[in-house]
Amino acid sequence: MKITGKIYLSIILVFLYLPIFFLIYYSFNAAGNMTSFKGFTFDHYLSVFQNKRLIVIIVNTIAIALLAASISTLIGICGAIGIYYLRNKKLKVGLLTLNNILMVSSDVVIGSSFLLLFTFIGHFTGMGLGFWSVLISHIAFCVPIVVLLVLPKLYDMNTSMIDAARDLGATSWQTLIKVIIPHILPGAIGGFFMALTYSLDDFTVSFFVTGSGFSVLSVEVYSMARKGITMEINAISTLLFGLVMILILGYYFIKRGQQRRIEKRGGILR
């Protein structure tokens, strides 16, 4: 990389991460403001963990993220395999286009659409906005992410492996479990972590589909910020940023371990 490219990349990283580190720095400010740093303290973090409402909201957020990521990963794997083996090219292109709509559409459009949908359903069923509306919405925008990460692994797969499994007498289910799933597993794991991160970070869609008795962390932080900036918001944002970084590092180490195992198998084969 040329020097100018490195300088440009450094400037971009500074603009992206400097506000975050500024927020983290003042989350430890004993003065309770973001104008002057008067001492180091953990009081703002303690107040977060002593706030029972915030603890419930954090648990809600993590539960929604884990459920949405798990369910969307299963649906995304099935969808990607279905699209891969679809023989009708026009139908395949149509399904891929529909899958990509949620990726390119505005979050405001997606959120308002789900709001209208759940309001219509609630009119006949009596089901209000809350846990299920948030979960279904998160699954909906997480599934396309998983599909897009799994499909390249399927197209990269050597079809002779599947033919060999069938020649050896493997059933369709055995071929799926023993050959296809292990090959697409890195993409599925990547899709799970991406879906988990998207669900944790989402605000716009969640803002439209949360009810009065249920909330997630991003919506709660927005509500708190409207009343005035407090160091509790900094502490919550720091914790959320740390959680996302842990997830990214976890995915990196899992990917690295898989790559090493593949290299070792290659070395043995050679």
Side-chain angles (χ1 to χ4, degrees):
M1 186 183 292
K2 295 182 180 179
I3 296 176
T4 53
K6 291 181 179 179
I7 294 172
Y8 176 76
L9 181 61
S10 300
I11 293 171
I12 294 297
L13 290 174
V14 167
F15 273 103
L16 286 174
Y17 286 97
L18 187 60
I20 297 175
F21 290 125
F22 181 78
L23 179 146
I24 293 172
Y25 176 71
Y26 277 99
S27 69
F28 300 100
N29 186 12
N33 57 56
M34 295 184 67
T35 55
S36 60
F37 193 90
K38 293 185 178 179
F40 190 86
T41 182
F42 284 103
D43 290 345
H44 308 302
Y45 290 89
L46 291 175
S47 64
V48 168
F49 289 107
Q50 289 171 356
N51 190 327
K52 292 182 180 180
R53 173 178 165 77
L54 280 178
I55 295 298
V56 171
I57 290 171
I58 290 171
V59 172
N60 289 342
T61 304
I62 294 173
I64 287 288
L66 288 173
L67 286 171
S70 302
I71 296 171
S72 62
T73 300
L74 293 174
I75 296 173
I77 290 172
C78 295
I81 293 173
I83 292 172
Y84 176 75
Y85 282 105
L86 198 62
R87 294 182 179 180
N88 191 320
K89 291 185 178 180
K90 290 184 178 180
L91 184 57
K92 180 183 287 190
V93 172
L95 288 174
L96 284 172
T97 303
L98 290 173
N99 179 77
N100 294 335
I101 286 175
L102 287 174
M103 294 290 294
V104 299
S105 297
S106 169
D107 286 345
V108 175
V109 174
I110 296 171
S112 58
S113 300
F114 277 118
L115 175 61
L116 292 173
L117 174 64
F118 291 124
T119 303
F120 177 77
I121 294 173
H123 180 72
F124 295 98
T125 63
M127 184 181 73
L129 298 177
F131 176 83
W132 290 108
S133 60
V134 176
L135 179 61
I136 293 170
S137 301
H138 282 221
I139 292 171
F141 67 71
C142 286
V143 167
I145 301 168
V146 179
V147 172
L148 289 179
L149 287 174
V150 172
L151 265 178
K153 292 293 181 182
L154 286 169
Y155 285 112
D156 186 53
M157 183 172 55
N158 189 350
T159 54
S160 60
M161 295 170 60
I162 298 174
D163 295 335
R166 288 172 178 169
D167 290 341
L168 291 171
T171 62
S172 299
W173 177 252
Q174 289 173 330
T175 304
L176 175 66
I177 298 300
K178 300 291 185 180
V179 180
I180 298 175
I181 296 297
H183 186 81
I184 66 174
L185 190 60
I189 293 173
F192 173 82
F193 278 101
M194 285 291 291
L196 189 64
T197 305
Y198 267 67
S199 180
L200 286 171
D201 290 345
D202 178 72
F203 165 72
T204 308
V205 177
S206 300
F207 180 77
F208 279 96
V209 296
T210 50
S212 57
F214 183 86
S215 183
V216 292
L217 194 56
S218 58
V219 178
E220 183 66 19
V221 169
Y222 173 75
S223 300
M224 292 171 64
R226 291 185 66 184
K227 299 175 184 177
I229 300 297
T230 64
M231 294 305 101
E232 282 189 5
I233 296 176
N234 289 39
I236 295 169
S237 302
T238 302
L239 292 172
L240 185 60
F241 177 76
L243 178 61
V244 171
M245 290 301 295
I246 290 170
L247 291 174
I248 293 171
L249 289 172
Y251 171 64
Y252 170 76
F253 285 116
I254 291 172
K255 188 106 175 177
R256 190 176 179 183
Q258 289 176 342
Q259 190 64 35
R260 285 180 177 177
R261 286 194 292 270
I262 291 171
E263 289 175 357
K264 284 181 181 179
R265 289 174 185 173
I268 293 171
L269 289 173
R270 287 194 293 269

